[in-house]
Structures are given as structure tokens and as C-alpha cells.
Amino acid sequence: VGIHWEAFFMQQHKRLVVILETAIIAAFAMALTYIPHTTGVSAIELNYGLIPIAVLAMRRGAIPAAWAGFVWGILDLILRGLSGGSVLNPVQGFLEYPIAFTLVGLMGLTFASFQKAVRGGEKVKASGYAFAGIIVGTFAKYFIHFIAGVVFWGSYAPKGMNVWIYSLIVNGGSALFSTVLAIVVVGILLTVAPQLFIAKDGKSLSTKAA
């Protein structure tokens, strides 16, 4: 019985650690949003917050990363979206904040393969899995923004420009720049600090043991 309770409390402790990491990453992603991030092209942005989410996705898996993205989205909605005029109506706000930001968690789809590679010292393979996850998660997020751009932001397109092309340029450009930035930074971190991606407890909320 004593062993059973000890195992139970250890599991709860590990779960709490994952929850705390998720909350910290969400807050960090939000803080990075306040760094100037325009690329010089109107409405095309670098999204620095994707970097800590990517680290969490590779470290803990898709579910913690999705929760971090959700919390980040709610924070961004409250702290910037509503006050900055980026919420046109409830449907658009829901799509572009909670939904779009949560989809960043798809970066963790390659979590299991990444962990196997990084724990085995196969940095090239680990990088490949990390980069694939970053691409999937980032483009999933910006696909929602792309659709919202067509449906809700079409009136902001330059006169005479097709709204689909306008949204593709703005959101596709943001997705491309943000993906490249996240890949470069995560690649550097994998080289100089691979321990960031390995949890000491070896657990994630996406595993049964958690």
C-alpha cells in the first residue's frame, strides 16, 4: 500500500511539474509578443512566441503544447486583441485566438520520434523531427488566420486586390518568416543546449504514465 501511494504522489508531482512548465511557457510566449516583430512588410510579422512553444512541444508533447498555445491565445486576446482592435466579432475572435493558438500544439506530433532521436544522440534526426513539427504547427495556426483574413478582413485589402491573394500574402508571409525563425533558433538550441528538450522525469501529459 505504501508503494502504491508513493507512486501516486510521484505521478501527481510530475503532472504538476508539466502544468507549471506549460504555464511558464505560455507566459513567456506572451511576453515575447511585446518585442517589435514586424518584417517591414505591412501586416507580415515574426512570431517569437512560437519558439518556446516549439521547445515545450519537443520536450513534453502535443497536449501540453496545445494547452500552452490555448493559454497564450487567451492572454493575447485579452491583453492585445480586444484593446488593439483586432477582434471584429466573437466568431473571428474565437477563431484567431483560442483556436488558432491551440493548433500550435500540433508541433508535438513528432514528439515521440524526436525524443527517441535526441536521447539517442542523433541530432540530425532530432532536428528533422523538430523542424517537421514546427512546420505543421505553425502552418496550422496561420491557416486559420488565412481563412479569417478572407472572411473577416477582406475589406482591408488594397483596392483592386483579390482578398484571397491579400490574405495569402499577409498570413503566408507571416507563417514563412515565423517558421524559418523558429527552425533556426530551435536548431541552435539543439546544438548548444540539447538538455532543454529532455525532461528529467521523462514524462508528458500526453503519456499514460503522466
Side-chain angles (χ1 to χ4, degrees):
V1 176
I3 295 176
H4 172 76
W5 279 105
E6 182 180 356
F8 171 77
F9 284 118
M10 286 182 65
Q11 287 184 4
Q12 294 307 307
H13 172 72
K14 291 171 183 177
R15 182 180 293 273
L16 178 60
V17 170
V18 176
I19 292 172
L20 288 174
E21 285 186 16
T22 301
I24 291 170
I25 289 296
F28 186 36
M30 186 64 229
L32 290 175
T33 306
Y34 288 98
I35 299 175
H37 52 280
T38 57
T39 62
V41 181
S42 178
I44 296 180
E45 300 179 338
L46 288 170
N47 199 322
Y48 303 122
L50 294 172
I51 297 169
I53 300 292
V55 173
L56 180 66
M58 294 303 113
R59 178 182 169 89
R60 293 294 187 179
I63 293 177
W67 273 111
F70 174 78
V71 174
W72 175 26
I74 295 297
L75 290 173
D76 200 39
L77 170 64
I78 295 171
L79 299 177
R80 298 201 317 143
L82 293 172
S83 62
S86 296
V87 178
L88 303 178
N89 56 64
V91 175
Q92 176 265 332
F94 184 70
L95 283 174
E96 292 210 81
Y97 288 93
I99 296 297
F101 282 70
T102 299
L103 287 176
V104 175
L106 292 176
M107 289 180 177
L109 289 178
T110 59
F111 165 73
S113 298
F114 171 85
Q115 284 291 314
K116 182 178 179 180
V118 77
R119 290 174 184 273
E122 300 176 285
K123 290 187 178 181
V124 174
K125 278 189 176 181
S127 297
Y129 289 125
F131 298 165
I134 289 170
I135 291 170
V136 171
T138 302
F139 276 80
K141 178 182 188 296
Y142 279 99
F143 178 74
I144 299 298
H145 294 310
F146 167 68
I147 297 300
V150 172
V151 177
F152 300 106
W153 296 98
S155 61
Y156 290 83
K159 187 176 181 180
M161 177 179 283
N162 182 280
V163 295
W164 291 89
I165 299 299
Y166 171 70
S167 187
L168 180 61
I169 291 173
V170 171
N171 294 296
S174 296
L176 179 61
F177 282 113
S178 297
T179 298
V180 171
L181 175 66
I183 284 175
V184 169
V185 175
V186 169
I188 293 172
L189 291 175
L190 269 172
T191 300
V192 302
Q195 66 274 13
L196 284 176
F197 301 89
I198 301 176
K200 291 182 179 180
D201 54 46
K203 304 298 181 183
S204 121
L205 288 180
S206 57
T207 63
K208 291 182 179 179

